[in-house]
């Protein structure tokens, strides 16, 4: 079982672009709706707009570009050594588009949110509007978002929770994306609050919420 934290949950957030998920977490924290201690933001790109959200809030940030690392092991160390140094307990992927190996000491301590109901419409190359267009093209009636622990395969780790979103007959990829993102804005904080309270239990791929 995950240990409960009596103080805010120390996290790092990984970003690649606009940082809308990071902004949601910051706003929830500022309104005392989310017990997190946002200690570090790591971006895969120096031009990621999300870096400005970190700067505006006084959160330490780093840019670590995968193309500048010689091997996956080098990239893993570059990403996780700062997290260890900052004392973070969980690493939160927020629109982070690079594949990074997960070290053993961070097993079930890295989480991601994907804009579909895994295992549908997921995997390498499935992100952003591509996911929502695929949902519409397939004729799916229900989509949503999935929060999961990250392992060393794309969108494969144990599922923590899923939030369904109906697909409307007149949806475009953009309108569907907007409604799924609204669900994401509730889903990630819900999972982080449960982790902070020690309410998430993992047994293999079976994840339970303890009430």
């Amino acid at each position: 079982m995950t240990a409960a934290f009596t103080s805010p949950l120390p996290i790092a957030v990984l970003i690649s672009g606009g940082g809308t998920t990071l902004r949601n977490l910051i706003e929830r924290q500022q309104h005392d709706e989310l017990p997190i201690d946002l200690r570090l933001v790591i971006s895969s790109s120096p031009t990621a707009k999300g870096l400005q959200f970190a700067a505006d809030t006084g959160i330490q940030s780093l840019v670590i570009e995968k193309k500048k690392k010689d091997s996956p092991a080098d990239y893993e160390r570059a990403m996780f050594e700062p997290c260890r140094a900052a004392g973070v307990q969980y690493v939160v992927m927020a629109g982070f588009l690079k594949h990074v190996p997960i070290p053993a000491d961070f097993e079930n301590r890295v989480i991601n949110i994907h804009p579909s109901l895994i295992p549908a419409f997921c995997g390498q190359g499935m992100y952003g509007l591509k996911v929502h267009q695929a949902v519409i093209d397939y004729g799916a009636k229900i989509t949503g978002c999935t929060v999961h622990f990250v392992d060393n395969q794309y969108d494969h780790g144990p599922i923590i929770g899923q939030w369904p979103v109906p697909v409307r007959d007149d949806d475009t990829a953009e309108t569907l994306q907007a409604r799924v993102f609204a669900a994401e804005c509730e889903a990630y904080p819900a999972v982080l609050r449960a982790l902070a309270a020690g309410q998430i239990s993992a047994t293999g791929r079976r994840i339970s919420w303890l009430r």
Side-chain angles (χ1 to χ4, degrees), residues 49-131:
K49 293 180 181 179
L51 288 169
Q52 190 61 51
F53 297 136
D56 292 344
T57 318
I59 302 168
Q60 178 189 357
S61 64
L62 298 171
V63 175
I64 300 174
E65 296 182 81
K66 187 173 185 178
K67 64 185 179 182
K68 295 184 178 180
K69 301 303 172 187
D70 293 332
S71 69
D74 289 337
Y75 186 48
E76 174 197 302
R77 284 191 293 271
M79 293 293 291
F80 285 97
E81 280 300 333
C83 295
R84 296 183 183 102
V88 306
Q89 291 298 314
Y90 288 90
V91 174
V92 178
M93 291 187 171
F96 186 73
L97 300 180
K98 301 297 182 182
H99 182 264
V100 57
I102 307 301
D105 61 325
F106 274 87
E107 182 181 359
N108 285 356
R109 291 175 56 201
V110 181
I111 60 176
N112 182 51
I113 192 162
H114 182 76
S116 76
L117 299 178
I118 293 174
F121 308 106
C122 65
Q124 186 171 4
M126 290 295 284
Y127 60 88
L129 288 174
K130 294 179 181 179
V131 176

Side-chain angles (χ1 to χ4, degrees), residues 15-211:
I15 64 172
S16 289
T20 50
T21 298
L22 171 64
R23 181 177 60 186
N24 177 56
L25 297 180
I26 290 172
E27 290 175 352
R28 300 280 179 134
Q29 178 193 38
Q30 291 175 336
H31 287 88
D32 295 324
E33 298 173 1
L34 189 56
I36 57 172
D37 177 5
L38 233 168
R39 296 188 178 184
L40 180 64
V41 170
I42 300 178
S43 174
S44 64
S45 168
T47 61
K49 293 180 181 179
L51 288 169
Q52 190 61 51
F53 297 136
D56 292 344
T57 318
I59 302 168
Q60 178 189 357
S61 64
L62 298 171
V63 175
I64 300 174
E65 296 182 81
K66 187 173 185 178
K67 64 185 179 182
K68 295 184 178 180
K69 301 303 172 187
D70 293 332
S71 69
D74 289 337
Y75 186 48
E76 174 197 302
R77 284 191 293 271
M79 293 293 291
F80 285 97
E81 280 300 333
C83 295
R84 296 183 183 102
V88 306
Q89 291 298 314
Y90 288 90
V91 174
V92 178
M93 291 187 171
F96 186 73
L97 300 180
K98 301 297 182 182
H99 182 264
V100 57
I102 307 301
D105 61 325
F106 274 87
E107 182 181 359
N108 285 356
R109 291 175 56 201
V110 181
I111 60 176
N112 182 51
I113 192 162
H114 182 76
S116 76
L117 299 178
I118 293 174
F121 308 106
C122 65
Q124 186 171 4
M126 290 295 284
Y127 60 88
L129 288 174
K130 294 179 181 179
V131 176
H132 306 295
Q133 190 60 56
V135 168
I136 292 168
D137 291 345
Y138 196 82
K141 302 305 181 186
I142 299 290
T143 184
C145 61
T146 302
V147 182
H148 65 97
F149 288 119
V150 179
D151 61 13
N152 289 316
Q153 300 180 49
Y154 284 98
D155 302 328
H156 177 266
I159 292 172
I160 303 170
Q162 294 183 302
W163 282 256
V165 174
V167 182
R168 298 173 181 166
D169 291 343
D170 60 350
D171 263 327
T172 65
E174 289 79 8
T175 61
L176 187 56
Q177 181 184 54
R179 294 206 319 285
V180 171
F181 182 68
E184 292 180 35
C185 287
E186 300 300 324
Y188 239 166
V191 168
L192 289 170
R193 283 192 290 267
L195 288 170
Q199 294 175 336
I200 301 294
S201 175
T203 304
R205 292 195 60 87
R206 298 291 297 273
I207 306 298
S208 302
W209 289 56
L210 310 175
R211 304 299 182 183

